[in-house]
Amino acid sequence: MESEAYRAYCLENVAAHYDVVLITDAEPTWERPYLLDWEVADPTDQAALTAAALALTERHPVAGVMTWTEWYLVPVARLARRLGLPTPGPEVMQGCRNKATSRALFARHAVPSATSNGVRTVAEAARAAQHIGYPIVLKPTARAASAGVIRVDTPEELPDAYAFAAQAARLGAEGTEVLVEEYLDGPEVSVECVTYHGTTTVVAVTRKTVGLPPYFEEIAHAVDAADPLLATVAPTAQAAVQALGVTDGVSHVELRLVDGRPRLIEVNARIGGDMIGHLVHLATGVDLARAAADIACGRAPDLTRTHSRAAAIRMIYPAHPGTLTARHLTDGFAEQAPWLERAHFHRDVGDQLMLPPDGDLFTARIGFLITTGPTADVAQDRSREAYRHLTVQVAPHPTAVPAQDSAT
């Protein structure tokens, strides 16, 4: 279950310091040990969310409301305002969720970003691409997790790519346009920020590995508390958060380094996914989940670094789509590798795996490996070592082209 695999640490860390009451779209299972109480409601349904919250406030004093789920940012901000609790304005969250709005605000505040045009037809996309110049990137204006994001190198590729992006865009709650954007050529990083009463502190920078072109699947991350890149990217990340009007909360700011200079991709007004908050905690000692809870309750977060090291995560993807038939580490390896913080599988033998364009990270990933070390280079070397001790076997679908049937 992806929510448990990638977000259980958030709930665990918050519950270590606060009594937690949860609104969830299904009866809680793994969450129960961390909960004081709960209500079942669809968090994207504002009326249902509010009714559930009011029921909880009848039973418990509620000091703050928070979410680490991208899809819930706007409804949760509206809920917090309804309850009179600390929150960035719903309109601020709307601006973060709608990438067209974000681009306009970046331009207004002179934050370096990508040239971008919103379109609703493939003909409009073709005109925008001609103006911007290939290669371009197509993306939904209000999605997340790289859903519907694709690089396009030539006009001939545009029709199919547009159909792929538009299909995902239609599911956007805060906008349904497709954005045609300049391709930012350079290493991708994210900057993990905490904002309290309008002051943004940059806690860490995450170096990313993106794969499966022409898609933008994030397949690895590394956080080094002593990363020298922090000084380069911090001012741009802080300016981006300010441009969007975020006055309080944890932000995951994505950018690329083009000719060594930061250019904004987007600001996600929540803790980064893919266990990035956990990597930050391992590397620096700063607990982003607790910081988010503190801010939601109107308290100043403690951002004191207690150590300086590095941590890395590598996602486990199949070499091709098909049926998972085996996944395991070499017997005894984990016991001999104390730097292997965890090896987690959230796909079981018999599960069907689909890669883009037919699937996404939710249908493709098998699990992940987290490693630690004194530096990011060491943590990543250890990640590669652990991967060599990993066996993954996938039986191709009958229509799939056979490929190497093991972890690569």
Side-chain angles (χ1 to χ4, degrees):
M1 184 177 190
E2 280 81 6
S3 61
E4 179 180 8
Y6 293 101
R7 291 303 194 184
Y9 82 92
C10 292
L11 185 55
E12 180 180 1
N13 290 9
V14 172
H17 302 280
Y18 290 92
D19 290 330
V20 177
V21 293
L22 180 71
I23 300 174
T24 178
D25 61 2
E27 282 291 326
T29 53
W30 62 269
E31 302 100 330
R32 290 195 182 204
Y34 308 113
L35 302 180
L36 180 65
D37 199 353
W38 65 86
E39 284 283 331
V40 177
D42 179 359
T44 65
D45 180 331
Q46 195 69 55
L49 180 66
T50 301
L54 292 174
L56 288 170
T57 62
E58 288 291 319
R59 302 197 293 268
H60 311 281
V62 175
V65 180
M66 64 175 288
T67 183
W68 43 73
T69 301
E70 181 73 19
W71 325 113
Y72 305 161
L73 289 172
V74 175
V76 166
R78 289 176 179 148
L79 174 62
R81 178 168 285 180
R82 167 71 171 76
L83 298 178
L85 297 171
T87 182
E91 66 281 357
V92 173
M93 295 295 98
Q94 179 85 22
C96 294
R97 287 286 298 125
N98 187 303
K99 296 176 177 63
T101 302
S102 295
R103 289 278 187 248
L105 289 170
F106 294 154
R108 182 183 306 169
H109 293 274
V111 179
S113 182
T115 302
S116 178
N117 289 284
V119 301
R120 292 195 176 277
T121 67
V122 68
E124 290 178 358
R127 288 193 292 271
Q130 186 176 19
H131 172 71
I132 293 170
Y134 290 91
I136 58 166
V137 175
L138 299 182
K139 64 175 63 172
T141 191
R143 293 286 283 162
S146 299
V149 184
I150 185 170
R151 173 175 165 161
V152 185
D153 290 328
T154 67
E156 291 73 25
E157 296 172 357
L158 185 63
D160 287 345
Y162 179 82
F164 172 75
Q167 182 179 23
R170 285 192 287 271
L171 300 175
E174 289 82 27
T176 56
E177 281 188 316
V178 171
L179 298 183
V180 180
E181 297 195 338
E182 168 191 10
Y183 173 67
L184 301 178
D185 192 3
E188 184 167 337
V189 304
S190 63
V191 189
E192 318 315 326
C193 301
V194 177
T195 305
Y196 181 64
H197 288 182
T199 298
T200 297
T201 301
V202 172
V203 175
V205 59
T206 304
R207 303 209 185 209
K208 299 175 174 294
T209 302
V210 179
L212 303 183
Y215 312 102
F216 292 83
E217 292 291 308
E218 296 184 356
I219 59 177
H221 308 281
V223 175
D224 189 331
D227 196 323
L229 192 58
L230 202 63
T232 300
V233 300
T236 303
Q238 290 165 323
V241 170
Q242 184 176 19
L244 293 178
V246 177
T247 57
D248 294 279
V250 175
S251 298
H252 171 69
V253 181
E254 297 182 346
L255 53 85
R256 284 199 170 203
L257 297 168
V258 180
D259 297 326
R261 296 185 179 89
R263 301 274 298 278
L264 253 295
I265 298 174
E266 62 192 39
V267 173
N268 303 283
R270 39 83 182 169
I271 301 169
D274 287 357
M275 300 290 288
I276 286 174
H278 185 59
L279 299 185
V280 170
H281 199 192
L282 291 172
T284 70
V286 177
D287 185 344
L288 293 178
R290 182 184 179 183
D294 287 340
I295 293 168
C297 294
R299 300 175 179 175
D302 182 0
L303 303 180
T304 305
R305 293 186 174 209
T306 58
H307 45 257
S308 180
R309 50 181 179 252
I313 185 170
R314 180 164 180 175
M315 310 303 167
I316 304 169
Y317 279 85
H320 53 81
T323 303
L324 183 62
T325 59
R327 86 293 187 269
H328 58 83
L329 282 174
T330 302
D331 287 344
F333 173 73
E335 290 74 17
Q336 300 169 12
W339 40 261
L340 179 61
E341 197 268 343
R342 71 183 67 184
H344 181 88
F345 298 104
H346 49 80
R347 291 290 179 185
D348 294 320
V349 169
D351 284 353
Q352 301 301 305
L353 307 174
M354 293 190 298
L355 294 165
D358 300 314
D360 53 28
L361 67 86
F362 302 108
T363 63
R365 288 181 181 175
I366 298 164
F368 56 80
L369 306 169
I370 295 180
T371 51
T372 60
T375 67
D377 286 343
V378 173
Q380 289 172 308
D381 285 344
R382 289 172 171 174
S383 178
R384 286 186 281 271
E385 172 68 12
Y387 212 77
R388 285 192 288 270
H389 285 269
L390 175 69
T391 295
V392 170
Q393 296 177 347
V394 178
H397 292 144
T399 57
V401 177
Q404 184 178 347
D405 198 23
S406 63
T408 56

